[in-house]
Each structure stands twice: as structure tokens, then as C-alpha cells.
Amino acid sequence: MAKKRKIVIALGGNALGKTLPEQMAAVKIASQNIVDLIEEGHEVVVTHGNGPQVGMINNAMAALSREDPSQPNTPLSVCGAMSQGYIGYDLQNAIREELVIRGITDKSVVTIITQTRVDEDDPAFQEPTKPIGQFLSKEEAEEAARKYGYIMKEDAGRGYRRVVASPEPKEIVEADAIRTLVNNGQVVISVGGGGIPVILENGHLKGVSAVIDKDLGSCLLARELDADYLIILTAVEKVAINWGKPDQQWIGDLPVTKAKEYIRENQFAPGSMLPKVEAGILFAESKMGRQSLITLLEKAKDGIAGKTGTRIHL
């Protein structure tokens, strides 16, 4: 029997599909791998990305406001909450069904709409770089900027897109509720899309137009829950250096000092593997004994057993 561990497992938004039918099929596969870990006795918290989903919602709500002038523009924070709700709905039902199939009847599965506090003075707000939503013509972009105050940028000749900040997560607002549920043996889905970015103003949590990196949000949650493992799922079984070159090398064991060295050498692509490795480092160095694992969803169980994946540790 494997040693029991508290695990935060971060699903990628793209791994959940780009349409509702794709998502319903994807969560069934994801739930089987998640329940593999639960079946071994581990305490599991599930987080997830929401890139394709929140973009779809944002586009739909923008189209509604264009078609019906009486409908106000929907804030990005509300779009994020919507995505957490419907992704969590599919995930919790698929995980619950898989638990029942395996005869595990003493666990509930619940989704918590999660807010993540950020610093309103974060430098990221001065230089928004994260593109969201659909491509627009120059005229449409100028109209969106005038009407809604959006910051629009041209994207490699493909049109104009809205850009928002990606500030550093500082606090998982619902961490205490998540912790209570996990400590009582329940399966929790939370921190969808990194969490809904909020700032604290005179005791009021106010949503802001930003996108939090879901791996950094998951890392913060894992630290606040005192988890043993942060599993960051990606499209490859292991992290590689010299990616795409003749001397490409897959890395299984990755001490924090070596990981930082590879980052200085620009071995990991920004917006792809780099934030995953950075989140893995932050978690691993936050407390002795904590480890991060980067691997494929279907390899998570083998990764915990030390058979595959890239393990980041002190």
C-alpha cells in the first residue's frame, strides 16, 4: 500500500476540451485517473485551467451586449465564476460517478467557487500582456476600447485582441473552507483558472480584469493546505531540456537548484513549460519534504510511485 499523501492535482484547461461535448468526454477520462489516486487512500484536491472556457463565455457575453444594448458588459471576473461553475459541475459529477463505480461511497465531491486575492499595486496591471477573447478588426477593437475601456493589442497580423494583467496570487480567499472539507475526507474542486482575481477594498472583495496563472494559483493553494505533492499536468510525460533539438533530453529528477539553472539558460518556453516549472519550484522550496511532479494525466499514479514524470524537489 502506497504512503498516504495530500495531493493538489492541476488539470489544464485545454485538457478539458474546447466545447461542451468535448468537456463532458474529457472529464470522464480525467475522473478515472483522479480516482486512481483516491483509491490508494490519498487526499486529493483538484484544480483546473479555464482558458478556452472563459474565452468562450467572454465572447458569448460580448455578443449579447452587442446584440442587445440594454444588456451591460459582463466583467471578466463574472465570466471566470461562470467557467468555474460549469467546469466544476461536469468534474464533480464525473468523479462522483467513478467513485460509486469503484464502491467508494464515503466521499462527497464538491466545487467551491474560488476567489484569489491579488495586490492592486502589482506591476502586472501597468503592462497587461495576457490575450483573451476573439480576434477583432481594427475598427471593432477601437469600439471595444472606447465603449468598455479595454486595452487592445494587435496580434501577429491576425487581428486585435483584448489584453489583461496576470498578477501574482497572494491569498486563496476560500482556503479555510477548502481545508475543512479536505481534512474531513471530501474531494474538493477549486481554484478554477487560478481563481477569480479580486482585490480587497475597505473590507470588500472587488473583481478585477485579470487572469491568474492556474499553476501559480494551484501552488499557492497547495502551500496553504500543507499538501505533500503538487501535480502539474501537461501534454508531455516529462520535462525536457534542449527541446526540439538533436540533443533533447528528458528529465526525471530535477532538484530546485538545477531547475533554476535551466531557467537562466532559457530552456523552458514562456507561456508553456516555464510557468509550470516555476510553480513547481515555488512549491518544492516552500517546505522540506514537499515535491512537485510534472507529467501526463494518465501517468499521475505512476509519477507518485516514482516511476515517471519530472520530480522537482529540494
Short mmCIF file of all heavy atoms in Angstrom, two decimals, residues 84 114-118 168-174 191-199 205 208 212 217 220:
data_model
loop_
_atom_site.label_atom_id
_atom_site.label_comp_id
_atom_site.label_asym_id
_atom_site.label_seq_id
_atom_site.Cartn_x
_atom_site.Cartn_y
_atom_site.Cartn_z
N GLN A 84 -15.89 28.46 -13.70
CA GLN A 84 -15.66 27.58 -12.54
C GLN A 84 -16.90 26.73 -12.25
O GLN A 84 -16.78 25.54 -11.95
CB GLN A 84 -15.32 28.41 -11.30
CG GLN A 84 -13.93 28.99 -11.28
CD GLN A 84 -13.58 29.56 -9.92
OE1 GLN A 84 -14.26 29.32 -8.91
NE2 GLN A 84 -12.52 30.34 -9.87
N THR A 114 -13.99 29.84 -6.28
CA THR A 114 -12.83 30.31 -5.52
C THR A 114 -12.33 31.67 -6.00
O THR A 114 -12.18 31.90 -7.20
CB THR A 114 -11.67 29.29 -5.66
OG1 THR A 114 -12.16 27.98 -5.40
CG2 THR A 114 -10.56 29.61 -4.68
N GLN A 115 -12.09 32.55 -5.03
CA GLN A 115 -11.51 33.86 -5.32
C GLN A 115 -10.04 33.87 -4.88
O GLN A 115 -9.70 33.28 -3.85
CB GLN A 115 -12.27 34.95 -4.58
CG GLN A 115 -13.76 34.99 -4.92
CD GLN A 115 -14.52 35.93 -4.02
OE1 GLN A 115 -14.72 37.08 -4.36
NE2 GLN A 115 -14.95 35.44 -2.87
N THR A 116 -9.22 34.55 -5.65
CA THR A 116 -7.80 34.67 -5.33
C THR A 116 -7.46 36.15 -5.21
O THR A 116 -7.62 36.91 -6.17
CB THR A 116 -6.93 34.01 -6.41
OG1 THR A 116 -7.30 32.63 -6.53
CG2 THR A 116 -5.46 34.10 -6.05
N ARG A 117 -7.00 36.53 -4.03
CA ARG A 117 -6.67 37.94 -3.82
C ARG A 117 -5.33 38.27 -4.46
O ARG A 117 -4.37 37.51 -4.35
CB ARG A 117 -6.62 38.27 -2.33
CG ARG A 117 -6.40 39.75 -2.04
CD ARG A 117 -6.35 40.04 -0.55
NE ARG A 117 -5.25 39.35 0.11
CZ ARG A 117 -3.98 39.77 0.07
NH1 ARG A 117 -3.65 40.86 -0.59
NH2 ARG A 117 -3.05 39.09 0.72
N VAL A 118 -5.31 39.41 -5.14
CA VAL A 118 -4.08 39.92 -5.73
C VAL A 118 -3.83 41.32 -5.19
O VAL A 118 -4.71 41.93 -4.58
CB VAL A 118 -4.15 39.95 -7.28
CG1 VAL A 118 -4.36 38.54 -7.82
CG2 VAL A 118 -5.25 40.87 -7.77
N GLU A 168 0.40 38.34 -9.61
CA GLU A 168 0.81 37.25 -8.73
C GLU A 168 -0.28 36.96 -7.69
O GLU A 168 -0.77 37.88 -7.04
CB GLU A 168 2.11 37.62 -8.02
CG GLU A 168 2.63 36.56 -7.06
CD GLU A 168 3.86 37.02 -6.30
OE1 GLU A 168 4.41 38.10 -6.63
OE2 GLU A 168 4.26 36.31 -5.36
N PRO A 169 -0.67 35.71 -7.50
CA PRO A 169 -1.67 35.39 -6.47
C PRO A 169 -1.08 35.53 -5.08
O PRO A 169 0.05 35.11 -4.83
CB PRO A 169 -2.02 33.92 -6.77
CG PRO A 169 -0.81 33.37 -7.47
CD PRO A 169 -0.23 34.51 -8.26
N LYS A 170 -1.86 36.13 -4.18
CA LYS A 170 -1.39 36.38 -2.82
C LYS A 170 -2.12 35.57 -1.76
O LYS A 170 -1.56 35.24 -0.72
CB LYS A 170 -1.55 37.88 -2.49
CG LYS A 170 -0.67 38.80 -3.32
CD LYS A 170 0.80 38.60 -3.02
CE LYS A 170 1.67 39.65 -3.72
NZ LYS A 170 3.10 39.44 -3.45
N GLU A 171 -3.40 35.28 -2.01
CA GLU A 171 -4.20 34.59 -0.98
C GLU A 171 -5.38 33.88 -1.64
O GLU A 171 -6.05 34.45 -2.50
CB GLU A 171 -4.73 35.59 0.04
CG GLU A 171 -5.66 35.00 1.09
CD GLU A 171 -6.39 36.06 1.90
OE1 GLU A 171 -6.26 37.26 1.59
OE2 GLU A 171 -7.11 35.67 2.84
N ILE A 172 -5.62 32.64 -1.25
CA ILE A 172 -6.82 31.92 -1.66
C ILE A 172 -7.90 32.24 -0.63
O ILE A 172 -7.83 31.81 0.52
CB ILE A 172 -6.58 30.40 -1.74
CG1 ILE A 172 -5.38 30.07 -2.64
CG2 ILE A 172 -7.84 29.69 -2.23
CD1 ILE A 172 -5.51 30.52 -4.08
N VAL A 173 -8.88 33.02 -1.02
CA VAL A 173 -9.85 33.54 -0.07
C VAL A 173 -10.61 32.42 0.64
O VAL A 173 -10.87 32.49 1.84
CB VAL A 173 -10.83 34.50 -0.78
CG1 VAL A 173 -11.91 34.98 0.18
CG2 VAL A 173 -10.08 35.69 -1.37
N GLU A 174 -10.97 31.39 -0.10
CA GLU A 174 -11.77 30.28 0.47
C GLU A 174 -10.91 29.14 1.01
O GLU A 174 -11.40 28.02 1.21
CB GLU A 174 -12.74 29.74 -0.59
CG GLU A 174 -13.90 30.67 -0.91
CD GLU A 174 -13.51 31.85 -1.78
OE1 GLU A 174 -12.47 31.76 -2.48
OE2 GLU A 174 -14.23 32.86 -1.77
N VAL A 191 -10.15 26.65 -7.14
CA VAL A 191 -9.14 27.47 -7.80
C VAL A 191 -9.19 27.30 -9.32
O VAL A 191 -8.17 27.20 -9.99
CB VAL A 191 -7.72 27.21 -7.25
CG1 VAL A 191 -6.73 28.27 -7.74
CG2 VAL A 191 -7.72 27.22 -5.73
N GLY A 192 -10.39 27.23 -9.87
CA GLY A 192 -10.54 27.12 -11.32
C GLY A 192 -9.95 28.32 -12.03
O GLY A 192 -10.24 29.47 -11.66
N GLY A 193 -9.11 28.07 -13.04
CA GLY A 193 -8.49 29.15 -13.78
C GLY A 193 -7.56 30.00 -12.94
O GLY A 193 -7.28 31.15 -13.28
N GLY A 194 -7.04 29.44 -11.84
CA GLY A 194 -6.17 30.21 -10.95
C GLY A 194 -6.95 30.96 -9.88
O GLY A 194 -6.37 31.56 -8.98
N GLY A 195 -8.28 30.90 -9.99
CA GLY A 195 -9.14 31.65 -9.06
C GLY A 195 -9.61 32.94 -9.69
O GLY A 195 -9.00 33.46 -10.63
N ILE A 196 -10.72 33.47 -9.21
CA ILE A 196 -11.25 34.75 -9.69
C ILE A 196 -10.41 35.86 -9.06
O ILE A 196 -10.37 35.98 -7.83
CB ILE A 196 -12.72 34.93 -9.28
CG1 ILE A 196 -13.58 33.77 -9.82
CG2 ILE A 196 -13.26 36.26 -9.77
CD1 ILE A 196 -14.91 33.63 -9.11
N PRO A 197 -9.71 36.67 -9.87
CA PRO A 197 -8.85 37.70 -9.28
C PRO A 197 -9.67 38.79 -8.59
O PRO A 197 -10.58 39.37 -9.19
CB PRO A 197 -8.10 38.28 -10.48
CG PRO A 197 -8.34 37.32 -11.62
CD PRO A 197 -9.66 36.68 -11.33
N VAL A 198 -9.34 39.04 -7.33
CA VAL A 198 -10.03 40.08 -6.57
C VAL A 198 -9.01 40.92 -5.81
O VAL A 198 -7.92 40.45 -5.49
CB VAL A 198 -11.07 39.51 -5.58
CG1 VAL A 198 -12.20 38.79 -6.31
CG2 VAL A 198 -10.39 38.55 -4.58
N ILE A 199 -9.38 42.16 -5.53
CA ILE A 199 -8.59 43.00 -4.64
C ILE A 199 -9.45 43.35 -3.43
O ILE A 199 -10.68 43.30 -3.51
CB ILE A 199 -8.09 44.29 -5.33
CG1 ILE A 199 -9.27 45.10 -5.87
CG2 ILE A 199 -7.11 43.95 -6.45
CD1 ILE A 199 -8.86 46.47 -6.42
N LEU A 205 -14.39 42.60 -1.35
CA LEU A 205 -13.63 41.92 -2.39
C LEU A 205 -14.19 42.35 -3.74
O LEU A 205 -15.36 42.13 -4.04
CB LEU A 205 -13.74 40.40 -2.23
CG LEU A 205 -13.02 39.80 -1.02
CD1 LEU A 205 -13.39 38.34 -0.83
CD2 LEU A 205 -11.51 39.98 -1.13
N VAL A 208 -11.40 42.04 -10.50
CA VAL A 208 -10.61 42.87 -11.41
C VAL A 208 -10.42 42.13 -12.73
O VAL A 208 -10.49 40.90 -12.79
CB VAL A 208 -9.24 43.23 -10.80
CG1 VAL A 208 -9.40 44.17 -9.63
CG2 VAL A 208 -8.47 41.99 -10.37
N ILE A 212 -5.17 34.93 -13.60
CA ILE A 212 -4.11 34.39 -12.76
C ILE A 212 -3.61 33.08 -13.36
O ILE A 212 -4.40 32.24 -13.77
CB ILE A 212 -4.63 34.16 -11.32
CG1 ILE A 212 -4.98 35.50 -10.68
CG2 ILE A 212 -3.59 33.43 -10.47
CD1 ILE A 212 -5.67 35.38 -9.36
N GLY A 217 -1.62 29.66 -9.03
CA GLY A 217 -2.76 29.59 -8.11
C GLY A 217 -2.83 28.24 -7.41
O GLY A 217 -3.09 28.16 -6.21
N LEU A 220 -0.12 28.04 -4.75
CA LEU A 220 -0.48 28.76 -3.53
C LEU A 220 -1.47 27.95 -2.70
O LEU A 220 -1.33 27.84 -1.47
CB LEU A 220 -1.06 30.12 -3.88
CG LEU A 220 -1.51 31.01 -2.72
CD1 LEU A 220 -0.38 31.25 -1.73
CD2 LEU A 220 -2.07 32.33 -3.23
#
